[in-house]
Amino acid sequence: MKTWLLTGLLFMAISATYAQGKITGIISDGSGPLPGANIVVKGTSEATSVDFDGKFTLTTTKNSGEVVVSFIGNENKTIKFNFVNGSTVDLGTIVLSSSSNQLNEIVVMGKGIIDLATERKTPIAVSTIKAAEIQAKVGTSDITQTMVNTPSVYVAGQSGGFGDSRISVRGFAQDNTAFLLNGQPINGMEDGKIYWSNWSGMSDIANAVQIQRGLGSSKLAISSVGGTVNFITKATDKREGGFASVGVANDNYFKTTAAYSTGMSESGWGTSVMLSHWQGDGYNDGTAGQGETYFISVGYKANERHNFNFLLTGAPQEHEQNYGKKLSVYEKYGRKYNNNGGVLNGEYLSAVGNYYHKPVANLNWDFDITEKSSLSTVLYASWGRGGSIGTVGSTKRTADGYVDYDAIIAANEASADGAATFALRNSVNNHEWYGLVSNFKTALTENLSLNTGLDLRTYQGLHFRQITNLLGADFYLDKFNKNIPNNKIFETYSTDRYSVLTNYADKKNRYSWDYDETINYGGIFGQLEYSKNNFSTFFQGSLSSQSHTRTDRYAYFPENQEAEKVNNIGYNAKGGASYKIDQIGSFYANAGYYSRQPYHDNIYLNFGNEVNPLTKNEKILGLELGYTYSSEFLTASVNAYRTSWKDRVTTTSTEVNNLQEYKTNEGVEQLHTGVELDFVAKPLPNLDVTGFASVGNWEYAGNSVITIRDEDRNVISSEIVDVDGGKVGDAAQTTFGLGAKYEIFTRFSVDADWRNYAKLYSNAGAVKNNLELPNYDIMDAGISYKILAGTTKQNSILLRLNVNNVFDEVYISELTTNIASNGTDLNVRGINTNNNGYYGLGRTWNFSVRFNF
């Protein structure tokens, strides 16, 4: 009996020791499940991963302990468990925080307006750069620098000066890539262009930048031929705290920033403010600049259903500029040579530059109508003031090419009537822009959702020139104003970044041109998305109407100052589908068609009141295929695309024998195809590896037709130019990149990014035989150390050092001519030195200290 009793007790003990319990739960990033996330019982090899719905079941032999939840790109989370009653423990929903910032925490306002890829289940080709990486790596550069490690993105123009960079996406320039700030369009309504000097503070206020290559997820009728870039700014912080930082860099760069947030009070109010100042001499000669950023955000959560946020931000700046030159000039005087200025009264004075102040305000209202329906609305406005600095008259130069102000002043003082032979001027580009975007979202069924909304904008631009420095003369004589003959201009105006808001020339003191334009825009959009199990599909559509008017007070008498009003209609349609084939992979396919209205500057000929009768909507057709793989150690995406852009028409007019003739370039089709790959891997707990590759083939297809017509639109001549197969320039068609971040010990890490650029052609337009630039490599590196300065992670000191172009690679970043090499001309790495362009920046560095409290 005792034997049986002992045997039974021993069996029960062994059974208890090896009993298997089940731990269940759901893993999410706050906006959706994290398929492939890993769950392991700490100190054991017992592990599992979650399914596509984020659910997991883990079997363990332990009665109590901890599970560690991990997913690449997110911070690990440790959860305790204890089998007190029963053999199953449900841990509920476990939310992992992103290692940079959660997307759902990034978007705290305008949640229905900001078209992030996470808001739609059907995938797109997308890359997201979050606040931590922006703060660490942007340094002294424009916000565009954060996008350099992205497939099919090429950044150039940094050599021009602070704020003069530009990007191309899949080979399409900035005027064919859409840029959105918290869901509101910011491309210029006249020409689609964007100037980063107007957004010099973006790196200070951005919570994230999301680059949607190709069709993207935006529901608006925007110019996203190449892609869509979403800038999501900070809003009113929910907790009290702030930071102060100081940064220094090469060429006497210095920057200070301070921010504070009150946190949200019990009554639902909160305020966040940030101020920064920067200044520096610039990498190239004569490219100094300075400016500020201000940011004020006031939030009010009225109740659980209504959330309001008011935001005001601006980045007043002024900077000198460098222009592209012949390579032979750089070879003679050095790669930092810039002859756009000279010495006046013992100090350097640039004759070329830019100054601008563009306050932007928006009011967001998020309304949760029911559990299934919500409404998001943003009312926004911007008031741009400023322009470019330049010269008028014939420049006198010194022997080494600089502006000879002494000689100019002497010539002006010797002028018989006191009129200036040479002066400094501003080309003023002021504007006022008001808009509203509203989006209604509802769940029609468990699997079907609907988005629909409005996009309304009105824009007025004002353009003229004014004198800034008469350089010893009494006045400037303007002989071409139709309404003020032989106008003597005595007044001068500054380029101060603050005074430009209110202090600029009146009509009497404007010269060369004085006109304004008004553009009104109205659009409606909608999206249906169906999602069930492993399948999702969507359809988007938008319809827009634009009206254009132009008033010219300079080149026309009063009866002809008002140009003919022009109206046009545009639309787009996009659709796609996705299928998850297993727990860690999914395929998708998207297609879209755009009928895009011509820009304002192409509607009115030669910047005059004459309407271009030959403009028509441009046609864009985009096709995409992709596959995404996600597991515990690796997340990767591969995308293939084909984009056709055609029916572009540009027209100029000239007077011949008192009759008007029209020269039309009926634009050749551009055909862009390519494949992209990007991945993030975590082979070791303290090692992150990233990489990308993009191989494109961007060509002109067919012929370019140049037609001359008379006043009655009769064809005088027509020339067909074969450009079929000619390479599209201005962006590298093949790029590769590899990056790594290694945490040597807790809170101390090093990182490096290597990039290779190839198949870069000159920006010389549609030509049959374009000039290919030499390949080049860039290596950037950085060191970060975080010191805890209190009892919580909130109080800390972050030290960061960046070195860009570590090996001081000498490379040509862009050319605007395509002069072939021959046996007699001088060459640089096989490139004829008569070509005009820029060298890229050499080695640069920056160091910052940031105190969080």
Side-chain angles (χ1 to χ4, degrees):
M1 181 67 181
K2 290 181 178 180
T3 303
W4 282 105
L5 180 60
L6 290 172
T7 302
L9 290 172
L10 182 61
F11 175 77
M12 292 172 63
I14 294 172
S15 298
T17 302
Y18 291 97
Q20 291 186 332
K22 291 184 177 180
I23 303 172
T24 62
I26 298 173
I27 309 300
S28 168
D29 65 356
S31 60
L34 285 176
N38 189 56
I39 304 95
V40 62
V41 178
K42 194 172 184 178
T44 75
S45 59
E46 298 168 345
T48 188
S49 59
V50 306
D51 61 20
F52 262 110
D53 296 320
K55 298 177 181 179
F56 73 90
T57 299
L58 173 61
T59 302
T60 181
T61 58
K62 282 184 167 288
N63 291 321
S64 62
E66 295 177 328
V67 294
V68 179
V69 184
S70 61
F71 188 74
I72 191 167
N74 295 74
E75 294 181 352
N76 294 352
K77 181 168 283 190
T78 302
I79 310 292
K80 292 183 178 180
F81 70 88
N82 190 1
F83 291 100
V84 177
N85 297 310
S87 59
T88 301
V89 172
D90 185 3
L91 299 180
T93 299
I94 302 169
V95 178
L96 296 187
S97 297
S98 166
S99 56
S100 300
N101 273 324
Q102 271 185 247
L103 276 179
N104 68 321
E105 291 177 351
I106 287 169
V107 184
V108 296
M109 62 181 185
K111 295 185 178 181
I113 300 298
I114 302 174
D115 289 315
L116 292 179
T118 55
E119 298 300 310
R120 195 176 69 201
K121 295 181 180 179
T122 307
I124 57 174
V126 63
S127 300
T128 302
I129 306 153
K130 300 179 186 176
E133 184 175 356
I134 295 171
Q135 293 163 6
K137 294 188 176 182
V138 73
T140 64
S141 304
D142 301 334
I143 189 69
T144 54
Q145 180 66 24
T146 64
M147 309 179 208
V148 296
N149 296 306
T150 304
S152 297
V153 172
Y154 188 72
V155 179
Q158 299 100 317
S159 296
F162 291 109
D164 286 352
S165 69
R166 53 189 175 78
I167 71 170
S168 297
V169 181
R170 288 184 175 174
F172 295 101
Q174 293 185 159
D175 55 343
N176 296 303
T177 299
F179 297 91
L180 304 174
L181 176 69
N182 294 335
Q184 68 189 60
I186 59 175
N187 291 76
M189 289 191 68
E190 300 168 11
D191 54 14
K193 295 180 180 179
I194 187 164
Y195 300 93
W196 297 110
S197 56
N198 299 346
W199 306 99
S200 61
M202 187 68 75
S203 59
D204 293 320
I205 66 174
N207 252 346
V209 178
Q210 187 175 87
I211 308 158
Q212 302 171 4
R213 301 182 299 278
L215 296 171
S217 65
S218 176
K219 297 178 284 290
L220 306 182
I222 50 180
S223 55
S224 53
V225 184
T228 303
V229 179
N230 282 281
F231 298 104
I232 303 99
T233 71
K234 301 176 187 295
T236 307
D237 288 340
K238 297 178 181 179
R239 63 170 179 82
E240 183 182 7
F243 72 90
S245 68
V246 176
V248 294
N250 55 278
D251 298 290
N252 297 315
Y253 183 89
F254 180 73
K255 181 177 182 178
T256 56
T257 307
Y260 174 71
S261 176
T262 63
M264 300 299 291
S265 67
E266 292 183 1
S267 59
W269 286 92
T271 301
S272 295
V273 297
M274 190 209 70
L275 296 171
S276 73
H277 169 79
W278 64 270
Q279 62 188 53
D281 292 341
Y283 178 80
N284 286 310
D285 297 339
T287 56
Q290 60 179 324
E292 289 77 35
T293 300
Y294 56 86
F295 171 87
I296 303 171
S297 181
V298 180
Y300 175 55
K301 188 175 180 63
N303 50 50
E304 292 302 316
R305 298 172 63 189
H306 296 276
N307 191 24
F308 299 90
N309 198 94
F310 171 77
L311 184 150
L312 174 67
T313 186
Q317 61 79 36
E318 52 199 67
H319 71 277
E320 301 165 351
Q321 290 180 306
N322 178 34
Y323 287 165
K325 300 170 184 63
K326 286 186 177 182
L327 300 183
S328 59
V329 175
Y330 289 117
E331 291 299 302
K332 181 177 180 179
Y333 294 108
R335 291 188 298 276
K336 290 189 175 185
Y337 176 73
N338 177 12
N339 61 349
N340 284 340
V343 176
L344 176 63
N345 298 325
E347 295 185 0
Y348 178 84
L349 176 64
S350 177
V352 176
N354 179 273
Y355 67 106
Y356 219 80
H357 189 172
K358 183 175 182 174
V360 176
N362 59 53
L363 176 63
N364 285 269
W365 172 36
D366 290 314
F367 176 25
D368 293 328
I369 303 171
T370 66
E371 291 185 357
K372 295 183 177 180
S373 302
S374 62
L375 177 70
S376 290
T377 303
V378 57
L379 181 67
Y380 64 89
S382 70
W383 306 271
R385 299 290 187 270
S388 61
I389 303 167
T391 63
V392 55
S394 178
T395 307
K396 296 181 182 296
R397 294 191 175 273
T398 61
D400 50 359
Y402 293 99
V403 177
D404 191 342
Y405 287 112
D406 291 337
I408 291 169
I409 291 173
N412 282 345
E413 291 176 343
S415 173
D417 57 0
T421 61
F422 180 90
L424 300 182
R425 52 81 181 161
N426 292 341
S427 292
V428 178
N429 298 299
N430 294 348
H431 78 249
E432 295 182 6
W433 186 345
Y434 303 94
L436 179 143
V437 180
S438 186
N439 180 73
F440 173 73
K441 181 179 180 180
T442 186
L444 300 176
T445 67
E446 182 180 355
N447 306 112
L448 184 64
S449 64
L450 170 68
N451 277 267
T452 185
L454 296 171
D455 175 15
L456 306 176
R457 313 172 213 166
T458 182
Y459 172 95
Q460 185 172 38
L462 175 61
H463 308 277
F464 58 87
R465 278 185 168 177
Q466 62 188 19
I467 300 297
T468 63
N469 194 329
L470 288 165
L471 295 173
D474 296 328
F475 60 88
Y476 173 76
L477 181 62
D478 179 15
K479 300 178 180 180
F480 302 102
N481 191 321
K482 287 287 184 70
N483 299 288
I484 312 177
N486 295 316
N487 186 24
K488 292 183 178 180
I489 298 175
F490 296 89
E491 296 293 328
T492 60
Y493 299 85
S494 76
T495 58
D496 178 77
R497 56 193 180 278
Y498 289 100
S499 65
V500 297
L501 287 174
T502 57
N503 182 30
Y504 45 85
D506 55 18
K507 295 177 183 178
K508 170 69 172 62
N509 289 298
R510 299 172 184 175
Y511 85 96
S512 193
W513 58 72
D514 177 19
Y515 66 94
D516 58 45
E517 59 239 334
T518 301
I519 305 171
N520 293 315
Y521 177 100
I524 57 174
F525 57 83
Q527 173 183 285
L528 278 171
E529 183 170 34
Y530 176 83
S531 178
K532 185 176 182 180
N533 298 328
N534 293 335
F535 176 75
S536 69
T537 185
F538 80 96
F539 175 78
Q540 279 183 10
S542 67
L543 179 68
S544 63
S545 175
Q546 283 189 162
S547 68
H548 303 260
T549 58
R550 187 180 191 278
T551 303
D552 193 323
R553 292 168 294 275
Y554 185 89
Y556 298 88
F557 293 117
E559 61 271 19
N560 296 316
Q561 289 180 0
E562 296 286 340
E564 177 187 344
K565 185 176 182 179
V566 176
N567 298 287
N568 45 43
I569 302 293
Y571 63 89
N572 67 39
K574 296 187 284 187
S578 171
Y579 184 72
K580 301 173 182 177
I581 59 173
D582 50 41
Q583 290 191 353
I584 56 175
S586 64
F587 282 101
Y588 77 88
N590 297 324
Y593 181 80
Y594 289 73
S595 177
R596 189 180 76 175
Q597 301 105 314
Y599 286 124
H600 180 95
D601 286 352
N602 195 32
I603 290 175
Y604 296 100
L605 292 173
N606 302 340
F607 295 98
N609 279 358
E610 188 178 7
V611 174
N612 183 349
L614 303 171
T615 57
K616 55 184 177 180
N617 282 15
E618 299 165 6
K619 309 298 189 301
I620 300 107
L621 175 64
L623 304 172
E624 298 175 342
L625 289 172
Y627 173 73
T628 299
Y629 173 87
S630 182
S631 69
E632 176 188 357
F633 302 110
L634 176 67
T635 297
S637 296
V638 60
N639 309 286
Y641 64 89
R642 182 185 188 277
T643 304
S644 168
W645 179 32
K646 57 184 179 180
D647 283 356
R648 289 176 293 145
V649 176
T650 59
T651 304
T652 57
S653 65
T654 55
E655 191 173 286
V656 179
N657 297 325
N658 296 321
L659 296 175
Q660 208 69 23
E661 286 188 357
Y662 300 93
K663 179 181 179 181
T664 301
N665 188 333
E666 299 178 24
V668 62
E669 178 184 2
Q670 277 184 222
L671 187 60
H672 294 221
T673 59
V675 178
E676 302 163 337
L677 168 70
D678 62 307
F679 70 87
V680 181
K682 198 174 185 70
L684 299 172
N686 53 349
L687 176 63
D688 293 314
V689 178
T690 60
F692 71 90
S694 55
V695 179
N697 185 36
W698 310 331
E699 295 182 337
Y700 296 101
N703 300 319
S704 176
V705 181
I706 299 175
T707 305
I708 308 295
R709 294 177 171 86
D710 63 19
E711 283 187 334
D712 298 322
R713 313 297 183 256
N714 298 311
V715 175
I716 299 174
S717 65
S718 183
E719 179 185 6
I720 299 176
V721 180
D722 176 20
V723 296
D724 191 60
K727 298 295 184 180
V728 176
D730 205 31
Q733 301 197 14
T734 299
T735 57
F736 295 94
L738 190 64
K741 178 181 179 181
Y742 183 72
E743 188 174 31
I744 299 174
F745 55 81
T746 303
R747 300 185 304 279
F748 180 76
S749 63
V750 296
D751 57 82
D753 295 291
W754 163 83
R755 299 180 299 278
N756 175 266
Y757 298 95
K759 300 295 182 182
L760 171 62
Y761 296 89
S762 175
N763 184 23
V767 293
K768 181 75 172 180
N769 298 305
N770 206 350
L771 179 64
E772 184 176 352
L773 280 62
N775 300 355
Y776 65 92
D777 299 89
I778 296 293
M779 173 74 81
D780 301 331
I783 302 174
S784 294
Y785 182 45
K786 186 176 184 180
I787 305 170
L788 298 182
T791 57
T792 67
K793 290 184 179 180
Q794 181 176 337
N795 298 105
S796 61
I797 299 173
L798 181 62
L799 309 176
R800 175 70 184 183
L801 172 66
N802 288 309
V803 180
N804 295 328
N805 194 1
V806 174
F807 300 112
D808 202 19
E809 174 92 353
V810 177
Y811 63 97
I812 301 169
S813 62
E814 53 186 308
L815 290 180
T816 55
T817 55
N818 66 327
I819 303 170
S821 296
N822 56 43
T824 58
D825 290 323
L826 295 176
N827 297 302
V828 176
R829 297 182 62 185
I831 301 297
N832 191 318
T833 57
N834 287 315
N835 281 291
N836 202 76
Y838 288 101
Y839 279 97
L841 301 186
R843 183 188 299 115
T844 59
W845 62 270
N846 59 84
F847 175 75
S848 63
V849 180
R850 176 182 172 119
F851 173 58
N852 298 306
F853 59 89

